[in-house]
């Protein structure tokens, strides 16, 4: 199985990026093949429903998503929703890349009240692209972090580990189920 961790924040010292890096490290420590996509390093065009799809910057990003069996999207919560950069990524790469993927979420917010803000993006991926959404996601606010931006909350750290474990389990389980449906050996 191949996994992709996407840091959706466009801010260099973001809390969601810190958590995304921890998730990547966890998967690598258990021997998984993990790719990394940091939207800070890619200047994707805004989706315009037309010409933007042909932009040369989209191809390398789309390839990373397409090659993954499971994806963790890590991003900030702005105005009770995952940031616009994450939605733009999904719009620019589309169903050809996202269809049938297992997707988990890590969210960093300014406060504790918008914990359900991941659901609109999760619903979109599930309904539009038939993604399998891991029902447990990591959500935290700034209180879990120290002065220098490091994650200090042990419970949140354990939830990140569990999300990585769930990503592996769901992805392998889905692959086994699909192989059985097709009648191919696992």
């Amino acid at each position: 199985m191949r996994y992709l961790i996407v840091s959706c924040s466009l801010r260099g010292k973001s809390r969601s990026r810190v958590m995304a890096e921890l998730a990547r490290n966890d998967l690598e420590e258990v021997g998984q093949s993990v790719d990394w996509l940091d939207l800070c390093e890619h200047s994707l065009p805004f989706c315009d429903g037309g010409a933007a799809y042909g932009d040369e910057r989209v191809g390398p990003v789309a390839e990373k998503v397409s090659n993954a069996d499971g994806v963790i999207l890590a991003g900030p919560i702005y105005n009770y929703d995952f940031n616009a950069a994450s939605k733009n990524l999904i719009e620019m790469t589309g169903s050809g890349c996202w269809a049938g993927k297992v997707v988990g979420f890590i969210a960093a917010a300014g406060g504790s009240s918008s914990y359900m803000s991941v659901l609109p993006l999760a619903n979109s991926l599930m309904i539009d692209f038939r993604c399998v959404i891991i029902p447990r996601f990591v959500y935290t606010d700034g209180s879990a972090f120290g002065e220098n931006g490091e994650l200090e909350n042990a419970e949140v750290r354990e939830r990140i580990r569990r999300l990585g474990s769930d990503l592996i389990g769901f992805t392998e389980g889905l692959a086994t189920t699909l192989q059985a449906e097709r009648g191919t050996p696992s």
Side-chain angles (χ1 to χ4, degrees):
M1 299 285 106
R2 296 168 72 176
Y3 301 101
L4 175 65
I5 308 295
V6 183
S7 176
C8 297
S9 178
L10 300 180
R11 190 168 58 90
K13 296 192 183 269
S14 78
R15 294 186 305 260
S16 63
R17 180 174 292 100
V18 168
M19 293 189 293
E21 289 171 345
L22 291 170
R24 175 177 65 175
N25 293 341
D26 291 343
L27 289 170
E28 288 174 344
E29 283 178 10
V30 295
Q32 298 300 317
S33 175
V34 184
D35 201 358
W36 174 258
L37 175 60
D38 188 338
L39 294 186
C40 264
E41 298 170 359
H42 298 273
S43 180
L44 287 176
F46 289 117
C47 183
D48 64 3
Y53 294 120
D55 189 291
E56 65 185 17
R57 297 170 289 179
V58 175
V61 171
E63 185 176 351
K64 284 182 180 255
V65 176
S66 185
N67 288 339
D69 298 299
V71 179
I72 291 178
L73 292 172
I77 301 299
Y78 298 137
N79 196 28
Y80 296 96
D81 205 352
F82 233 69
N83 71 335
S86 61
K87 186 151 183 348
N88 191 59
L89 165 70
I90 293 165
E91 290 170 343
M92 290 305 301
T93 52
S95 66
C97 294
W98 288 93
K101 303 278 188 234
V102 173
V103 180
F105 292 93
I106 294 174
S112 61
S113 298
S114 54
Y115 60 91
M116 292 181 62
S117 55
V118 170
L119 294 179
L121 188 58
N123 284 338
S124 174
L125 287 166
M126 184 174 53
I127 293 167
D128 292 341
F129 303 138
R130 304 298 186 251
C131 292
V132 174
I133 304 300
I134 299 172
R136 177 188 343 262
F137 55 89
V138 178
Y139 175 95
T140 193
D141 61 20
S143 67
F145 294 83
E147 285 183 23
N148 296 321
E150 69 281 359
L151 181 64
E152 292 183 340
N153 185 299
E155 180 185 340
V156 173
R157 181 64 184 102
E158 182 54 35
R159 290 195 328 241
I160 293 168
R161 283 188 189 95
R162 179 67 188 262
L163 181 64
S165 177
D166 285 350
L167 181 68
I168 294 167
F170 274 71
T171 305
E172 290 177 353
L174 180 61
T176 300
T177 300
L178 293 175
Q179 288 171 346
E181 287 178 0
R182 294 181 189 128
T184 58
S186 48

